[in-house]
Amino acid sequence: MSPITKLRVSNSLAFIIFCTTFTLLSCKKQPSETITMEKDTSNYAKGSFGYDLQFLKRYHPDIIELHDNEMKAKLIVLPAYQGRVMTSTASGDAATSFGWINYDLVSSQRVSPHIHAFGGEERFWLGPEGGQFSIYFSKGAPFTFENWNVPKEIDIEPFKVVSASTDEARFEKYMHLENYSGTVFDFRVNRNIRLLNRSTIDSLLGIKLDASIEVVGFESENTITNTGDVAWNKKSGLLSIWILSMMNASDQTTVGIPYVVDKTTDEKIVTDDYFGKVPADRLAVNDSLILFKADGKYRSKIGISPQRAKPLISSYDAINQVLTIANFSLPGNSDYVNSMWALQDNPFNGDAINAYNDGPVNGGQMGNLYEIESSSPAAALQPNKHLTHFHRTIHFKGSPELLNKVSMKLLGVTVDRIAL
């Protein structure tokens, strides 16, 4: 077996072990009185924004709510969860809540090993996850789930609120982390969340939205600044900004990712074997889009290299008639950190985009959710220098005929083509 083959086998086994154990930890049932309390105290149906707002206020009185009264668009942002956008709505408290929330874990307020998977529509993380420059494994530890731990700074520690208004919240956090190779990073994180109004969304899309389309959009501006005395370099390891969005899946939700078509390169279009190869009925590559099933019924993950990526990810929920667009920074063919769980020959050939679908493993499951993710390039920063990564999320709800105007403009296809 060649070294490369051994590396791929090692990576696959590590991820299989991770997803099995993580699912069992995440799916542990909470006492029945927790669920009963939720039902008895909410004035809204579960799945609505109002329900999530009342639920989260019970455990987090410092909750920040951003809103646009004209659009009836709202966001819930939690300082306690690193300035995380927990969820959003396009049409008021009684309307659909777009973010996936782990109600059992939030209400239990328990300390969990390895990670606190609270959920949330957009959260701040850091890469790389695996490899010799990982910040999730201690120096010299084997790359197994038992040794994997999310740094507390991006897991359970709050971000400081710098300022908050009706449509923007600003956060700050100083961090001191050490990677697998023993390199120490001292840096500051600044995270700003902005609710986008309709005119800003129109301008970003280059299209005038029909007034009957319900829409909510927000932008996160994420900056890391080297506050230490030493320059960060590839020899000792680099960090990257990693933005992950957990959203509610339906039986007819599909992620659609446009990609760079270049027949002159051997660069593969999609990495499809993170948790074992994705079955053909769940992943397809056509002339313009990568289609990935996001129904919450089969655990799988894909990745797109910076050479193949475009600064756009979409998903379409045909049952609820919701088109989601994520737009993010993509500054060209830069180095991206590799998060595979193994010592790596090429630690800077990682993905710019990832998509994940949850599903049952050994009878347990984290939740009925899918993720879309974007990453910044590796941050080779001199002291006092910074790197910024933008990530924008926009949900459109309306008839397929109205949504087609948006999908044709941005993706070149009608929404019925974003389907598997």
Side-chain angles (χ1 to χ4, degrees):
M1 184 182 294
S2 71
I4 296 299
T5 302
K6 289 180 180 178
L7 178 62
R8 289 174 177 166
V9 171
S10 174
N11 289 340
S12 298
L13 290 174
F15 275 106
I16 290 169
I17 292 169
F18 160 72
C19 72
T20 301
T21 311
F22 180 51
T23 296
L24 295 176
L25 288 171
S26 302
C27 301
K28 185 177 180 181
K29 291 291 185 181
Q30 301 304 310
S32 58
E33 58 266 22
T34 300
I35 305 302
T36 302
M37 180 179 65
E38 292 173 17
K39 291 180 179 178
D40 290 345
T41 58
S42 178
N43 300 322
Y44 295 92
K46 198 166 187 178
S48 70
F49 182 86
Y51 179 96
D52 289 344
L53 180 62
Q54 290 185 346
F55 170 80
L56 290 168
K57 276 184 175 179
R58 192 176 311 134
Y59 303 99
H60 298 283
D62 61 340
I63 195 169
I64 296 174
E65 184 180 355
L66 307 183
H67 58 87
D68 183 316
N69 292 331
E70 180 183 355
M71 294 168 58
K72 296 185 179 180
K74 295 185 176 184
L75 303 181
I76 296 172
V77 187
L78 284 187
Y81 296 167
Q82 306 83 49
R84 188 177 313 205
V85 179
M86 292 302 293
T87 192
S88 65
T89 180
S91 189
D93 288 355
T96 300
S97 186
F98 293 116
W100 180 82
I101 296 173
N102 190 336
Y103 300 104
D104 286 349
L105 182 59
V106 173
S107 61
S108 74
Q109 298 184 292
R110 71 176 186 267
V111 176
S112 301
H114 308 295
I115 185 176
H116 295 75
F118 297 117
E121 188 174 339
E122 201 224 74
R123 73 182 187 273
F124 176 92
W125 260 24
L126 293 162
E129 185 176 359
Q132 56 265 44
F133 302 135
S134 169
I135 55 171
Y136 296 75
F137 290 90
S138 299
K139 186 174 183 177
F143 293 104
T144 62
F145 182 80
E146 291 74 19
N147 298 311
W148 176 82
N149 293 285
V150 179
K152 63 184 185 302
E153 292 85 351
I154 56 173
D155 186 37
I156 58 173
E157 290 190 354
F159 279 18
K160 176 185 175 183
V161 180
V162 176
S163 65
S165 64
T166 58
D167 61 357
E168 183 174 7
R170 294 174 173 265
F171 302 91
E172 183 177 84
K173 178 73 172 179
Y174 284 85
M175 299 189 185
H176 175 88
L177 298 178
E178 182 176 339
N179 72 12
Y180 185 91
S181 297
T183 302
V184 172
F185 297 91
D186 290 295
F187 59 103
R188 182 181 69 246
V189 176
N190 291 96
R191 177 166 162 84
N192 304 331
I193 308 297
R194 302 184 187 94
L195 181 63
L196 305 175
N197 60 35
R198 186 175 285 264
S199 62
T200 300
I201 293 172
D202 284 349
S203 177
L204 285 171
L205 300 179
I207 186 174
K208 180 68 174 177
L209 289 174
D210 190 286
S212 60
I213 292 181
E214 298 173 8
V215 59
V216 57
F218 62 91
E219 170 185 87
S220 71
E221 178 185 2
N222 307 276
T223 301
I224 55 175
T225 302
N226 181 356
T227 58
D229 299 324
V230 179
W232 301 354
N233 60 72
K234 292 172 70 173
K235 185 176 180 180
S236 55
L238 299 173
L239 301 177
S240 69
I241 297 168
W242 188 1
I243 302 300
L244 304 94
S245 298
M246 286 182 162
M247 289 177 282
N248 295 301
S250 81
D251 287 350
Q252 295 182 40
T253 300
T254 303
V255 171
I257 307 175
Y259 67 96
V260 174
V261 178
D262 184 355
K263 296 182 180 180
T264 66
T265 179
D266 293 329
E267 180 72 30
K268 62 183 175 182
I269 296 174
V270 58
T271 299
D272 61 356
D273 56 356
Y274 279 94
F275 300 155
K277 192 170 180 62
V278 182
D281 62 342
R282 291 187 161 270
L283 178 65
V285 179
N286 63 32
D287 292 339
S288 60
L289 285 178
I290 299 164
L291 299 175
F292 177 61
K293 192 76 171 176
D295 58 358
K297 292 184 176 180
Y298 187 91
R299 185 177 287 267
S300 48
K301 181 177 179 178
I302 62 172
I304 315 299
S305 72
Q307 291 77 27
R308 287 290 191 178
K310 292 184 176 182
L312 191 69
I313 314 173
S314 71
S315 67
Y316 181 58
D317 177 351
I319 293 177
N320 296 297
Q321 297 184 339
V322 176
L323 174 67
T324 297
I325 297 293
N327 165 249
F328 46 88
S329 307
L330 188 68
N333 294 336
S334 304
D335 293 315
Y336 282 71
V337 301
N338 189 336
S339 283
M340 298 297 280
W341 288 20
L343 296 177
Q344 301 160 3
D345 293 332
N346 298 298
F348 298 102
N349 70 339
D351 296 325
I353 298 172
N354 292 102
Y356 167 80
N357 184 48
D358 202 42
V361 178
N362 292 343
Q365 183 171 348
M366 182 164 59
N368 188 43
L369 68 107
Y370 70 99
E371 286 187 347
I372 53 179
E373 310 169 9
S374 74
S375 292
S376 77
L381 298 178
Q382 296 289 326
N384 299 317
K385 297 300 182 180
H386 67 272
L387 177 145
T388 298
H389 182 72
F390 288 91
H391 187 104
R392 302 175 186 91
T393 303
I394 308 174
H395 302 289
F396 308 90
K397 185 173 175 60
S399 69
E401 291 74 22
L402 292 174
L403 296 179
N404 282 341
K405 297 179 181 179
V406 180
S407 65
M408 285 297 297
K409 172 70 175 181
L410 299 178
L411 304 168
V413 297
T414 54
V415 291
D416 63 299
R417 296 284 303 278
I418 312 172
L420 276 177

